[in-house]
Amino acid sequence: MDEFEIIERYFRPLTNGYGGCADLCDDAAVLDIPDGYEVVVTSDTLNEGVHFMRGEAPENIACKALRVNLSDLASMGARPFSYQLNIAFPDKPIDEDWISAFTGALAKDNAKFHVFCSGGDTTRIHADCLSISITAIGVVPKGQAVRRNGAKDGDVIIMTGPVGDAALGLKALQEGLDPKLYSNAITRHRVPVPRVGIEEVVRQYAHAAADISDGLLADCMNIARASGLGVEIDMQKFEFSKDVQYGLENNAISYEEILCGGDDYELILAVKESSVNVLLEELQENKLNQLVIGRFTDSKVGFRVLNSGSHRIDFKSLGWKHF
Ligand code: ADP
Ligand code: MG
């Protein structure tokens, strides 16, 4: 089957019939952005063997490729609108079952996250690995996008849920740990859940936000740097999922790996002290297991992680790459 048949049969339905896509029969799509909104745009690429394992299920690849992009929009306080889907197929015959499963999973996520595919590109590469790149387009009321650089000295750091699961899931797969013991962590590694749906709350309360893709410490540091501040993280305030708790008790994962592992896709929000309680209630109403994990401080304080006895943890022991 050639490129045009694939587009017609498998990609066209993903436009959800949006008029500006002209059934993918034009060179580009025309998007009608609501009055008073501006566009937020972000891209992420997943390469076989780097971002997902060889032989990974097409449904998981599809969901992960879309969702990591939706997570970036969520951290900006933007509502997802549409996405562009760029696929480079490896140099072998195209497996129609694979494409059917891949696009079937995207169709489900279209419905779940209220988005559609507005176009893309289909190519072949002279290599034996698949590459998927998605560009997500979101909308936000003019001037209200939440940036990384808006945190203020004293802002409390709130996380929309516990971390460590994705790192544990990856490790369980790589090291062949019993998958039954870590099934939720493995699922979270394979198919993250972006925090779509709380964008109004994020815009209303967060001075700054980021999603956790590089690791909790790295992403807190990104906000601190951009805002000219320091950070204090208090490990005593952390709670973990059942899988991570079990992993810690059985030395399957360490605190360092939890703090430095990426791909959890929870949001970190910088919030002024007086808004904390009302924000926590709002997040709870959205069925999130939010946590208060520390605060942004004067830059002179630097970057501190305190353990259960309020003792400072040495960064070298955390394998912290910035030091
Ligand atoms: P051109 O050659 O003019 O760039 P293409 O043949 O690449 O056009 O694409 C034709 C149409 O199909 C365009 O509307 C494009 O957005 C869409 N399209 C191509 N590949 C994909 C894809 N992987 N997913 C969704 N839409 C696609
Ligand atoms: Mg093209």
Side-chain angles (χ1 to χ4, degrees):
M1 115 176 301
D2 69 21
E3 182 194 328
F4 298 102
E5 288 170 316
I6 294 174
I7 292 170
E8 197 178 315
R9 189 171 312 165
Y10 293 104
F11 298 143
R12 182 187 286 175
L14 295 177
T15 65
N16 293 0
Y18 184 83
C21 298
D23 283 338
L24 300 181
C25 291
D26 213 330
D27 292 310
V30 179
L31 305 178
D32 186 10
I33 302 305
D35 281 349
Y37 282 75
E38 52 195 351
V39 169
V40 178
V41 61
T42 179
S43 299
D44 259 311
T45 300
L46 302 190
N47 295 327
E48 183 172 2
V50 181
H51 303 98
F52 59 90
M53 287 174 201
R54 205 161 254 283
E56 180 66 71
E59 294 88 346
N60 293 345
I61 302 169
C63 291
K64 190 160 190 172
L66 178 58
R67 292 173 180 208
V68 296
N69 279 285
L70 298 182
S71 177
D72 280 324
L73 294 181
S75 82
M76 301 293 290
R79 166 162 59 88
F81 189 86
S82 71
Y83 58 91
Q84 297 288 118
L85 170 63
N86 305 309
I87 307 186
F89 285 107
D91 228 355
K92 56 188 175 199
I94 288 181
D95 175 353
E96 207 177 324
D97 290 341
W98 191 97
I99 297 184
S100 171
F102 180 88
T103 50
L106 282 178
K108 282 193 190 146
D109 268 7
N110 275 3
K112 191 175 180 113
F113 299 112
H114 308 290
V115 279
F116 60 92
C117 176
S118 42
D121 203 17
T122 307
T123 56
R124 275 199 184 270
I125 39 176
H126 290 301
D128 184 28
C129 70
L130 174 75
S131 178
I132 314 279
S133 181
I134 286 188
T135 296
I137 294 152
V139 293
V140 68
K142 272 205 169 95
Q144 288 186 36
V146 181
R147 315 300 312 233
R148 283 184 183 172
N149 63 3
K152 309 227 172 2
D153 185 1
D155 276 355
V156 173
I157 306 175
I158 292 177
M159 201 160 61
T160 55
V163 290
D165 295 77
L168 175 61
L170 175 63
K171 231 183 142 191
L173 291 175
Q174 283 175 338
E175 297 184 4
L177 306 180
D178 182 353
K180 285 200 284 302
L181 295 175
Y182 301 111
S183 60
N184 289 326
I186 290 171
T187 301
R188 259 192 93 174
H189 157 69
R190 285 190 163 137
V191 185
V193 181
R195 294 304 171 202
V196 173
I198 57 166
E199 58 273 2
E200 264 177 63
V201 178
V202 170
R203 290 201 301 270
Q204 189 174 355
Y205 296 105
H207 287 155
D211 68 326
I212 303 176
S213 54
D214 293 337
L216 172 61
L217 291 190
D219 289 310
C220 280
M221 195 70 182
N222 286 338
I223 295 180
R225 282 234 173 87
S227 305
L229 297 171
V231 193
E232 194 169 271
I233 305 276
D234 187 351
M235 290 298 293
Q236 230 172 335
K237 298 189 168 150
F238 277 63
E239 286 164 30
F240 300 109
S241 70
K242 282 205 181 86
D243 284 14
V244 170
Q245 194 60 49
Y246 186 85
L248 279 167
E249 284 159 15
N250 291 279
N251 297 321
I253 192 158
S254 64
Y255 286 104
E256 292 91 302
E257 288 167 319
I258 290 172
L259 290 172
C260 298
D263 279 355
D264 283 301
Y265 299 101
E266 295 294 349
L267 301 183
I268 313 164
L269 309 173
V271 181
K272 70 168 186 267
E273 180 95 55
S274 58
S275 298
V276 168
N277 287 339
V278 49
L279 171 60
L280 292 179
E281 275 170 32
E282 296 257 15
L283 294 175
Q284 210 161 9
E285 271 172 35
N286 282 278
K287 304 198 167 42
L288 297 173
N289 298 313
Q290 72 286 337
L291 299 165
V292 175
I293 57 161
R295 63 175 67 240
F296 290 102
T297 60
D298 189 282
S299 60
K300 285 198 239 35
V301 176
F303 193 56
R304 302 208 287 192
V305 180
L306 307 175
N307 70 10
S308 52
S310 288
H311 297 301
R312 194 170 168 172
I313 301 175
D314 176 16
F315 286 111
K316 286 203 189 79
S317 72
L318 285 174
W320 178 245
K321 61 177 184 281
H322 289 279
F323 288 80

